[in-house]
């Protein structure tokens, strides 16, 4: 009997048309991170019942732009760049679960369909958007990675600009910030196809990097603006106080996560 193959839709006789390959997934990226404080109540309203606010600095937010190249274990996508290159922007907060502090992505936009599919698998709430950031380069007018270098970043979705930032590097840093420095606590949700049956998938999972390497982090300052839009809520995480901005080049491997609990999120 014939069977269909593929890690994700569409499943076919060969599996070659699957939107994403099976993990592990390997990433190389340039990250611009802007951290600031918002009203902790605005963070709390984004957390399901099973999660609590972080004890320290509960209103801290990281808005991160990332310019990625990614591939499966064989690296073949790197030689067909349309399958490897994408950009994303995402908002991260911190939360607590059973006394442990986690990071949690509450909003995220990407510009490729395969990145959306990976996010659904990982519990990231990915949507399509338009994301751009200044790239460093050692020649010509592009900024070098050095004191005084300035990087711009923009985010738009559904033809509306949602955020923009200008980051000015100041000096090398021991870290790339603290908001996105914990394992991720994410939910994987899927409604039943039958009306009134609720969720058929309701999992709280922990994920993180299977391996990680990075270049020197730089800290600086940012001019960050958020904008209202009719179908987005990023601006509800209003800027009350800037913390810092960072630039870093990273390499990450993602290879699965851990189920923390199932069926108790209280999500509707």
């Amino acid at each position: 009997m014939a069977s269909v193959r593929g890690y994700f839709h569409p499943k076919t006789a060969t599996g070659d048309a699957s939107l994403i390959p099976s993990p592990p997934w390997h990433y190389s990226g340039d990250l611009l991170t802007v951290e600031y404080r918002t009203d902790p109540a605005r963070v709390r309203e984004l957390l399901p019942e099973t999660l609590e606010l972080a004890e320290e600095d509960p209103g801290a937010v990281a808005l991160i732009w990332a310019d990625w190249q990614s591939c499966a274990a064989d690296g073949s996508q790197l030689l067909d760049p349309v399958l490897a290159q994408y950009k994303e922007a995402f908002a991260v907060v911190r939360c607590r679960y059973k006394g442990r502090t986690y990071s949690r992505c509450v909003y995220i936009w990407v510009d490729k369909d395969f990145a959306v599919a990976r996010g659904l698998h990982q519990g990231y709430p990915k949507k399509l958007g338009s994301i751009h950031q200044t790239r460093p380069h050692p020649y010509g007018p592009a900024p070098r990675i050095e004191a005084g270098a300035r990087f711009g970043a923009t985010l738009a979705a559904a033809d509306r600009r949602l955020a923009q930032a200008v980051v000015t590097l100041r000096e090398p840093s021991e870290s790339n910030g603290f908001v996105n420095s914990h394992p991720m606590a994410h939910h994987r949700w899927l409604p039943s196809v039958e009306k009134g049956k609720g969720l058929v998938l309701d999992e709280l999972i922990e994920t993180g990097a299977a391996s990680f390497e990075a270049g020197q982090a730089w800290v600086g300052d940012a001019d960050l603006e958020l904008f209202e839009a009719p179908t987005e809520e990023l601006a509800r995480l209003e800027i009350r106080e800037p913390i810092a901005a960072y630039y870093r080049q990273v390499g990450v491997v993602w290879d699965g996560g851990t189920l923390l609990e199932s069926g108790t999120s209280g999500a509707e």
Side-chain angles (χ1 to χ4, degrees), residues 27-34 63-69 86 88 90 92 133-136 145 151 153 167 169 176 180 212-214 216-218 245-252:
Y27 302 81
S28 300
D30 289 52
L31 272 59
L32 281 173
T33 300
V34 181
L63 187 55
I64 303 167
W65 279 264
D67 189 354
W68 292 114
Q69 296 187 80
Y86 72 101
E88 68 184 2
F90 54 109
V92 176
Q133 65 191 77
T134 306
R135 293 170 174 162
I145 305 172
F151 295 80
V167 172
L169 302 186
N176 200 44
N180 195 39
F212 177 83
E213 57 183 333
Q216 175 65 57
W218 283 74
Y246 302 89
Y247 173 88
R248 198 175 201 185
Q249 294 180 314
V250 303
V252 182

Side-chain angles (χ1 to χ4, degrees), residues 74-140:
D74 66 2
S76 60
Q77 292 82 7
L78 297 175
L79 300 181
D80 191 359
V82 70
L83 301 177
Q85 296 175 1
Y86 72 101
K87 297 184 288 294
E88 68 184 2
F90 54 109
V92 176
V93 300
R94 294 180 307 146
C95 60
R96 275 192 307 143
Y97 173 74
K98 293 187 176 180
R100 185 179 181 188
T101 301
Y102 288 88
S103 300
R104 182 178 176 89
C105 178
V106 291
Y107 298 116
I108 180 168
W109 295 264
V110 298
D111 62 1
K112 291 289 183 68
D113 57 359
F114 64 79
V116 172
R118 283 199 304 228
L120 294 175
H121 179 66
Q122 298 167 307
Y124 283 88
K126 292 189 176 183
K127 302 173 73 172
L128 287 176
S130 175
I131 303 100
H132 297 278
Q133 65 191 77
T134 306
R135 293 170 174 162
H137 198 279
Y139 303 106

Side-chain angles (χ1 to χ4, degrees), residues 231-260:
T231 58
E232 303 293 351
E233 300 180 58
L234 177 63
R236 286 185 62 80
L237 295 173
E238 60 188 15
I239 304 163
R240 287 197 167 182
E241 179 186 1
I243 298 176
Y246 302 89
Y247 173 88
R248 198 175 201 185
Q249 294 180 314
V250 303
V252 182
V253 177
W254 189 92
D255 197 18
T258 302
L259 178 64
L260 297 178

